[in-house]
Amino acid sequence: MATAERRVVVTQRYFDQATIDYLNENNCEVDIIDLPKGKADGNLTPDELKSLLAGARGWIVGHAHITRELLQDLPNLAVISRRGVGYERVDVIAVRDLGRVITIAAGGNDASVADHTIGLMLAVGRRLREMQNRMQAGDWTILVSSDLNRKTVGLIGLGRIGRSVVQRLKGFNCRILVNSPHPDADYARNENVTFCDVETILRESDYISLHAPLVAATRNLIDEKAIALMKPTAIVINTARGGLVDDCVLLQALKDGRLAGAGLDVYLSESDKSLADVTAELIALPNVVATPHSAASSLEGLARTNMVAARSVVAVLDGGDPPETCVIADGRTRPR
């Protein structure tokens, strides 16, 4: 029987019934927050979050900022489970210091984001947006576009999503260049990819797709210097994190014709609202195909990540351990 002592707050939309049933079957009281249209949990103030989470033991969260102060004001909160894989908005040290657990939904959205990445490559390369816009205006002139087939594709980052993209690119007979902190000779041989430095990827790739985490070393990875190395026919794809790309520089390069196009699912303005006008200009360009941080949001992908997040919550509330690949920090064993 569900109890208030096992109250789990969900601040994400599209939480499916099967996952709700799973939580209920494991004696959790599920409280799904009905956020106003256009507002996500990343827009909630600390006071709003404290009010919604008062007394909760588990929290299934999207992009809210999880600070030391917030956690200190929520002493009952045992586990924070991200329905996603990034955690740059989480004070991981505070989670550990305060004896809490933070998990991610590892493996839940790999296929969805990889599909989306290939979709953006095709849409930008084949100029689908430009042609549809012209047709709607009555102009059926054929625009010459570019194949993905047999192109050189550079992937910066080779985690679960990057490896899923490699699998999909095989069907396009691409030459695949990869940059990763952990080059793997067996993987390179088995998957017919080439590990190389970032500069080589920038110089030689027709498509450059970002799959790295956002850390100090990768922030503004695509900046003026990086773009200067790229072919003018190159296309940049970002389904990872907005901070990997200097959007102001990207915007100017696209307007100047120094790049052929971009496929974007993430933006600097998600974390810095002062850049909203830059994002607006980017998504208005005819050679940009843009989506609203939705790469993981297929019905199937959401169902998978919901369940991964829920299983982590139940594991912690039961006194057990979530899957090792999902755990970012576990402070339960840390002396306090």
Side-chain angles (χ1 to χ4, degrees), residues 10 76 85 103 133 136 163 221 227 234 257 262 288 307 324:
V10 180
N76 294 318
V85 294
T103 65
N133 286 346
Q136 287 178 307
R163 290 181 182 233
L221 180 67
I227 290 174
V288 171
M307 188 60 76
E324 186 177 347

Side-chain angles (χ1 to χ4, degrees), residues 32-330:
I32 299 177
I33 305 304
D34 185 17
L35 296 173
K37 185 176 181 180
K39 191 169 189 178
D41 59 12
N43 306 125
L44 297 174
T45 67
D47 286 342
E48 288 173 322
L49 289 171
K50 291 173 196 174
S51 176
L52 294 172
L53 293 162
R57 293 283 290 155
W59 179 17
I60 295 177
V61 61
H63 296 281
H65 291 272
I66 300 168
T67 64
R68 182 178 294 271
E69 292 73 21
L70 178 66
L71 294 173
Q72 287 173 330
D73 287 336
L74 297 168
N76 294 318
L77 188 63
V79 53
I80 305 102
S81 188
R82 274 228 61 228
R83 191 187 72 180
V85 294
Y87 52 92
E88 67 273 4
R89 296 188 179 191
V90 179
D91 186 334
V92 174
I93 295 173
V95 169
R96 191 176 291 114
D97 286 348
L98 297 171
R100 318 300 174 82
V101 181
I102 176 75
T103 65
I104 58 173
N109 64 16
D110 305 355
S112 303
V113 179
D115 284 357
H116 199 88
T117 299
I118 299 298
L120 288 175
M121 290 181 184
L122 292 168
V124 179
R126 296 310 303 263
R127 303 174 71 177
L128 302 186
R129 176 186 181 181
E130 292 179 79
M131 285 192 269
Q132 182 166 352
N133 286 346
R134 288 178 178 230
M135 290 171 70
Q136 287 178 307
D139 181 356
W140 282 53
T141 302
I142 293 173
L143 299 178
V144 177
S145 58
S146 298
D147 289 341
L148 178 56
N149 184 53
R150 298 194 180 280
K151 289 299 193 298
T152 296
V153 179
L155 306 182
I156 300 178
L158 191 68
R160 290 176 295 269
I161 293 169
R163 290 181 182 233
S164 293
V165 172
V166 168
Q167 292 302 312
R168 286 152 178 76
L169 287 172
K170 287 181 179 181
F172 293 92
N173 304 303
C174 292
R175 173 189 178 221
I176 304 172
L177 306 179
V178 176
N179 177 263
S180 169
H182 309 290
D184 183 332
D186 289 338
Y187 179 85
R189 182 174 55 255
N190 294 335
E191 303 300 331
N192 194 28
V193 306
T194 301
F195 284 89
C196 59
D197 57 33
V198 170
E199 183 171 318
T200 299
I201 285 178
L202 297 174
R203 289 185 184 280
E204 298 187 12
S205 297
D206 300 298
Y207 293 81
I208 297 159
S209 190
L210 306 179
H211 301 284
L214 179 60
V215 295
T218 60
R219 187 173 294 278
N220 290 331
L221 180 67
I222 303 302
D223 58 8
E224 184 64 57
K225 182 179 178 181
I227 290 174
L229 294 174
M230 297 181 198
K231 302 175 183 179
T233 54
I235 290 169
V236 173
I237 306 292
N238 190 7
T239 56
R241 286 290 180 266
L244 298 175
V245 178
D246 184 331
D247 284 355
C248 298
V249 170
L250 177 64
L251 173 63
Q252 195 59 52
L254 290 166
K255 290 168 71 173
D256 292 346
R258 289 184 284 131
L259 290 176
L264 305 174
D265 187 52
V266 288
Y267 313 89
L268 271 174
S269 61
E270 293 177 87
S271 56
D272 185 350
K273 299 305 178 187
S274 70
L275 294 171
D277 288 346
V278 174
T279 299
E281 279 196 73
L282 270 172
I283 65 178
L285 293 176
N287 55 344
V288 171
V289 176
T291 51
H293 205 148
S294 62
S297 297
S298 67
L299 289 173
E300 298 84 356
L302 290 170
R304 288 191 298 268
T305 50
N306 286 340
M307 188 60 76
V308 173
R311 290 187 186 279
S312 291
V313 167
V314 168
V316 173
L317 296 185
D318 284 347
D321 297 321
E324 186 177 347
T325 55
C326 294
V327 178
I328 299 305
D330 186 344

Side-chain angles (χ1 to χ4, degrees), residues 1-8 20-31 310 313-314 317-318:
M1 180 177 180
T3 65
E5 288 76 21
R6 289 171 69 94
R7 177 170 171 255
V8 177
I20 295 170
D21 292 344
Y22 168 81
L23 287 167
N24 289 156
E25 290 162 5
N26 283 274
N27 304 316
C28 295
E29 176 188 293
V30 184
D31 186 359
V313 167
V314 168
L317 296 185
D318 284 347

